Amino acid sequence: MFASMARAATTSDVFNAIAEPRRREILALLRTGERPVAELSQELGMSLPGTSKHLRVLREVGLVRDRKAGKQRLYGLDGRGLQAVHEWTGGFEQFWNESFDRLDAYVQDLKQERQEE
């Protein structure tokens, strides 16, 4: 029962899906365009079934789309799925900007003190 609950969380939540390093690697590879699973598998040094499993999770949470191209299936990034991640991380942008502003003000104060000495 517990395993099925964990599986459901992984496949229904973008944050859980991208918590897995291999899935983040797949997303990074797909930034340059669509790729077949065999190419992704080779780039990652993983088995085809392992790569397919990660792609399935990424597809289920809306981060990856796939389409048939002749005999192969091509996988591509679906940026819409990253919207929730973007919105969440964007909430920290103000924090970092304010932190850098405070650091800059501190550095300027130090420079001023040195010039006055």
Side-chain angles (χ1 to χ4, degrees):
M1 168 122 173
F2 180 74
S4 65
M5 288 173 51
R7 176 81 174 122
T10 299
T11 58
S12 63
D13 181 69
V14 171
F15 293 95
N16 283 330
I18 64 172
E20 211 292 322
R22 289 298 200 164
R23 293 189 196 123
R24 291 193 307 271
E25 287 181 58
I26 290 170
L27 294 175
L29 289 170
L30 293 176
R31 283 188 301 207
T32 60
E34 292 181 323
R35 295 184 184 212
V37 67
E39 187 179 316
L40 290 168
S41 180
Q42 186 177 0
E43 285 273 342
L44 297 166
M46 290 181 63
S47 69
L48 283 172
T51 304
S52 293
K53 181 179 167 187
H54 287 306
L55 285 165
R56 183 176 65 245
V57 171
L58 291 170
R59 191 178 63 240
E60 287 173 0
V61 299
L63 294 173
V64 166
R65 57 179 161 54
D66 65 322
R67 68 179 180 89
K68 291 270 295 174
K71 291 184 176 183
Q72 63 182 353
R73 185 166 297 281
L74 295 177
Y75 291 86
L77 193 58
D78 189 344
R80 295 172 299 179
L82 290 172
Q83 187 65 33
V85 176
H86 175 71
E87 289 171 3
W88 186 79
T89 57
F92 292 95
E93 187 174 355
Q94 182 178 354
F95 166 78
W96 284 111
N97 287 337
E98 290 171 359
S99 296
F100 288 128
D101 289 346
R102 284 192 304 272
L103 179 59
D104 186 50
Y106 176 72
V107 169
Q108 295 306 319
D109 288 346
L110 286 177
K111 285 181 181 178
Q112 185 67 35
E113 287 175 16
R114 286 197 177 147
Q115 288 176 355
E116 293 172 357
E117 287 177 356

